[in-house]
Amino acid sequence: MITRFFLTAVCLALAGTPLAAQDTAKDDAPAGPETKFTGADLFGLSVAADPQISPDGRKIAYVRRTNDIMTDRAVSSIWLIDVATGAQTPLVTGAGSHVSPRWSPDGTRLAYVSTMSGGGPELHVRWMESGDSANITALPEAPAAIAWSPDGTRIAFTARIAGKGLTLGTPPAKPEGAEWGKPLQVIDRAAYRRDGGGYVKPGTMQLFLVAATGGDARQLTFGEYDNGGTVEWAPDGSKLYYSANRREDWELQPLESDIYALDLASGAITQLTTRSGPDFAPQVSPDGKSIAYLGFDDVGNAFDQTNLYVMRTDGSGQRQRVRDLDRGIDGVEWTDAGLFVSYEDEGKHRVAKVVRGDALDVYPAELGSTYYALPYTGGEWSVSEGGTLAFTTASTTAPPDIGVSNGKVVRTLTSLNAVKLADKQLGETREIAVTAPDGTPIQSWIMLPPGYEEGDRVPMILEMHGGPYAAYGPEFSADYQLYGAADYAVLFTNPGGSTGYGEAFADRIEDNYPISNFDELMAAVDAAIAAGYADPDQLFVTGGSGGGVLTAWVVGKTDRFKAAAVHKPVINWTSFALTADAVPYFGRYWLGAMPWEDPEHYWKRSPLSLVGNVTTPTLVLVGAEDYRTPRSEAEQYYAALKLQGIDSALVVTPDSSHNNLSQTPSQQAARTASVIAWFDKYREDAKGEE
């Protein structure tokens, strides 16, 4: 019965048909357009990303990603915007993937990465005046961290170089024409698989240099460790600055990285930073005398805010900037207009200019995340030499567009989904006041279903973010709009551990996650009920990754929810610490010890320890190729629920990693439809009737 129920629900949701039974029309008149957001609306949805403003601030090249119904994937293209008029021109479109536009210093050329040549991703350059393009490299794997030389004659980039893995023994010779099984896979790395990348092939990331007109690329770095991250040029073109972990035990030091200077004439590499902890994202001042960079001191915490530092180009005079900003800095750019940084701040993503006295001149722009499935904070941006900011916009009713700001005025230049969503009734997002039992404010929002009437109490889903060191904000979420179309309100909140509220707020979950979040989350639910929005007898709960951990924990602590959906959870910290894609990191930093050193602590924080208390019908979901919170975690929980006699089902998305956007649009729609169907099954109205 459950299988039939889910298949029917998924098909109906993809077709944009309500789950409730409909009477057959008495005439042949065509039905009107569907006014609610449906799974089918994921197709044709466009997202603006990676806005790169030209040095003179007159043009913006950006990546447009559009979900294509025929290929069931996001198709990327590169477009050009005239900042003065807002006029758009397609630059690189057609078959293939086209990403990473980067302007030459004089603005006459644009480098980008494309598969248009029919093979793998290659570096291309477009001459803007003529419109001609040339393939600059021939590489076995995709180039990254593209950086033009100051005179525009060369391009530095990073790329992976294949290595030779460990071999054990010699197999017998294979006769000509024979068909044998696949060779053995021999693994000797501590972190041997990567979410979104699969099992790691032998090899390392290295720096390269190529003429801007093409030719053979020159490899600049070597060794059995990765060299990469952001690549930055000295203004005179003599050096490259980059970050790497070149320690002998680099595999077991997951947070270590330092800033290095590479002299292009001699090949000499000089280490500029030496502390314990990550130093990365170097940005050289226009006068070539200083380097700004990001980092923090590694003291073994599960989380530390990233700070801004400046040093001389020889590594001396290192000092922290903007000390009074109790926020983690996640981006930095240094142009002729000054030093710019970005950071999360109470559910929003900001860009500010560092001014005299380490004060911040905050731009009025509110940046939006390109992760349209859920309302995570974030955003992408760049700054011209004159200080004009190009950025991805934030909205509760549409995925990000491209905006521009001079520091005083904000203009939105695109409206990629205006026509598509014009006739759609979308949910309205409101902020609600929530206070934790200890008096700490917990910023929270509720998205009300389309057509909500004041005073109505409606079924409500508590949806919790992952991370756990991340944050939600008032941004567009395709999942939420689908929930709203099914007449659910969605409560979302930033409990302790969320970023953008200062170090102390993030440290509320140090050594106790997910235990301490429970009371905060229940306070948010109580506030939504007290505000008159939520029906207290029609509560549901879900979340993914860290939110999946919290969902499993919540149903182990309370039976107030009618049904639950646990996405890609961690259920057993012991098995997770030894099977996730960052084995050297999670046990050491998140749990403070190895599993065999403190097994009681691991078990106390594991949702599996509470499974004997669960009475809530619980759906479990996971990607088949999730290596962050491995599939085995979800399968453990599903098995435990079944053994406990709890109504449960397991949904596995083929070819999907941890990131929801690794799923095809049809899979995204089907996954959310399965959750809605599960909740509808236990809902006390017509939607729960079969």
Side-chain angles (χ1 to χ4, degrees):
M1 181 174 70
I2 290 177
T3 300
R4 175 185 59 79
F5 184 79
F6 278 116
L7 287 175
T8 302
V10 169
C11 292
L12 289 172
L14 283 171
T17 304
L19 291 175
Q22 300 292 312
D23 292 333
T24 303
K26 296 181 179 180
D27 54 47
D28 294 328
E34 173 57 64
T35 59
K36 291 185 177 181
F37 193 83
T38 71
D41 287 319
L42 288 174
F43 293 108
L45 203 67
S46 293
V47 176
D50 196 11
Q52 295 295 313
I53 194 164
S54 61
D56 63 9
R58 295 180 179 180
K59 306 285 185 182
I60 298 172
Y62 76 97
V63 175
R64 182 188 296 186
R65 296 197 294 264
T66 302
N67 291 335
D68 177 52
I69 195 169
M70 298 308 295
T71 60
D72 196 17
R73 66 183 181 89
V75 176
S76 61
S77 55
I78 299 174
W79 288 68
L80 186 70
I81 306 173
D82 182 282
V83 172
T85 66
Q88 292 197 68
T89 307
L91 281 184
V92 189
T93 60
S97 172
H98 318 295
V99 296
S100 303
R102 296 296 181 269
W103 291 97
S104 64
D106 62 3
T108 63
R109 289 161 293 166
L110 189 75
Y112 58 95
V113 176
S114 174
T115 59
M116 66 169 55
S117 55
E122 298 288 356
L123 180 62
H124 295 249
V125 169
R126 179 186 178 93
W127 279 256
M128 300 302 291
E129 185 174 353
S130 68
D132 294 328
S133 295
N135 187 349
I136 301 300
T137 60
L139 300 168
E141 299 206 25
I146 300 167
W148 286 85
S149 65
D151 64 2
T153 63
R154 297 164 293 173
I155 300 174
F157 61 92
T158 62
R160 183 180 171 278
I161 293 296
K164 186 176 181 181
L166 175 67
T167 58
L168 296 172
T170 304
K174 178 180 176 181
E176 184 176 352
E179 295 183 4
W180 286 15
K182 294 179 180 179
L184 301 182
Q185 185 179 20
V186 181
I187 296 169
D188 65 347
R189 293 185 61 166
Y192 57 90
R193 55 187 184 180
R194 184 177 298 115
D195 188 66
Y199 281 76
V200 177
K201 298 177 181 178
T204 55
M205 291 290 290
Q206 303 296 343
L207 267 68
F208 290 84
L209 189 65
V210 68
T213 53
D216 289 338
R218 169 187 163 198
Q219 186 173 342
L220 300 175
T221 58
F222 304 85
E224 293 303 315
Y225 33 70
D226 291 333
N227 293 274
T230 302
V231 179
E232 179 79 354
W233 285 83
D236 64 2
S238 65
K239 292 183 177 68
L240 291 176
Y241 300 97
Y242 67 99
S243 62
N245 182 354
R246 295 168 61 91
R247 291 168 171 80
E248 191 171 320
D249 62 345
W250 64 272
E251 263 203 293
L252 299 177
Q253 302 293 331
L255 290 186
E256 290 296 336
S257 65
D258 290 294
I259 307 294
Y260 291 87
L262 188 154
D263 184 87
L264 292 174
S266 66
I269 296 175
T270 303
Q271 184 173 342
L272 301 182
T273 62
T274 58
R275 68 161 160 199
S276 176
D279 292 314
F280 59 98
Q283 286 285 298
V284 181
S285 62
D287 64 8
K289 296 180 179 180
S290 302
I291 299 174
Y293 60 100
L294 304 181
F296 59 84
D297 294 314
D298 178 9
V299 294
N301 293 334
F303 174 80
D304 286 289
Q305 287 186 157
T306 300
N307 301 312
L308 173 69
Y309 298 87
V310 172
M311 63 181 171
R312 300 185 186 94
T313 50
D314 63 0
S316 64
Q318 298 174 13
R319 61 190 177 96
Q320 185 178 341
R321 301 288 304 272
V322 294
R323 284 180 174 271
D324 292 338
L325 178 67
D326 186 18
R327 298 289 186 267
I329 297 174
D330 52 40
V332 58
E333 191 166 337
W334 208 336
T335 74
D336 287 343
L339 180 59
F340 294 81
V341 295
S342 61
Y343 54 93
E344 290 175 315
D345 184 31
E346 298 184 355
K348 298 178 181 179
H349 204 184
R350 298 290 196 184
V351 172
K353 179 181 176 180
V354 181
V355 295
R356 187 180 299 275
D358 274 2
L360 291 177
D361 181 6
V362 181
Y363 274 50
E366 295 182 8
L367 279 63
S369 169
T370 61
Y371 190 85
Y372 66 82
L374 293 166
Y376 283 99
T377 59
E380 299 173 358
W381 58 281
S382 63
V383 179
S384 74
E385 297 298 339
T388 301
L389 172 72
F391 64 98
T392 52
T393 63
S395 167
T396 60
T397 55
D401 280 294
I402 299 299
V404 67
S405 176
N406 61 4
K408 297 179 181 180
V409 178
V410 173
R411 289 189 296 132
T412 300
L413 301 178
T414 65
S415 52
L416 301 185
N417 298 285
V419 173
K420 176 177 178 58
L421 299 179
D423 62 349
K424 296 295 178 180
Q425 298 178 26
L426 300 177
E428 176 192 355
T429 298
R430 300 179 183 179
E431 188 165 353
I432 62 173
V434 176
T435 303
D438 66 357
T440 301
I442 304 295
Q443 193 171 26
S444 305
W445 300 265
I446 189 167
M447 193 204 79
L448 300 170
Y452 174 80
E453 295 184 5
E454 296 297 334
D456 281 357
R457 289 188 178 274
V458 296
M460 185 185 77
I461 300 170
L462 168 64
E463 201 281 326
M464 297 166 289
H465 73 65
Y469 301 104
Y472 274 164
E475 302 202 24
F476 179 81
S477 165
D479 283 16
Y480 287 12
Q481 293 299 338
L482 291 171
Y483 293 144
D487 298 325
Y488 291 89
V490 184
L491 173 67
F492 56 112
T493 181
N494 284 334
S498 300
T499 50
Y501 301 89
E503 184 76 46
F505 190 83
D507 288 344
R508 285 172 70 87
I509 62 171
E510 182 75 28
D511 293 329
N512 65 56
Y513 173 76
I515 299 170
S516 63
N517 282 150
F518 177 76
D519 290 339
E520 299 168 338
L521 295 165
M522 294 306 100
V525 173
D526 293 340
I529 295 171
Y533 297 127
D535 181 345
D537 297 321
Q538 297 268 47
L539 301 177
F540 303 84
V541 61
T542 188
S545 191
V549 176
L550 291 172
T551 304
W553 190 266
V554 163
V555 297
K557 299 288 287 185
T558 181
D559 63 358
R560 72 186 301 187
F561 296 96
K562 302 288 290 184
V566 177
H567 297 252
K568 51 190 179 186
V570 174
I571 294 304
N572 181 340
W573 288 109
T574 295
S575 55
F576 167 77
L578 298 176
T579 58
D581 63 347
V583 169
Y585 174 76
F586 287 115
R588 175 179 171 184
Y589 289 96
W590 279 18
L591 281 300
M594 294 296 110
W596 52 90
E597 296 171 338
D598 197 352
E600 292 183 5
H601 183 64
Y602 272 71
W603 184 246
K604 185 173 95 170
R605 292 170 59 180
S606 294
L608 189 59
S609 70
L610 301 179
V611 75
N613 302 334
V614 177
T615 59
T616 306
T618 302
L619 181 68
V620 185
L621 306 96
V622 71
E625 296 180 5
D626 189 334
Y627 297 133
R628 178 61 46 79
T629 55
R631 175 176 174 171
S632 56
E633 293 295 307
E635 290 174 335
Q636 283 183 74
Y637 196 51
Y638 171 68
L641 292 169
K642 282 296 188 183
L643 292 173
Q644 282 294 110
I646 304 303
D647 194 8
S648 183
L650 176 66
V651 175
V652 179
T653 305
D655 305 317
S656 172
S657 66
H658 192 68
N659 187 327
N660 282 3
L661 298 189
S662 69
Q663 300 165 3
T664 70
S666 70
Q667 289 174 335
Q668 294 172 42
R671 170 183 48 78
T672 308
S674 70
V675 175
I676 293 170
W678 185 260
F679 289 168
D680 283 352
K681 182 180 178 184
Y682 299 96
R683 184 167 161 174
E684 295 178 357
D685 58 20
K687 282 194 172 281
E689 297 174 0
E690 294 188 39

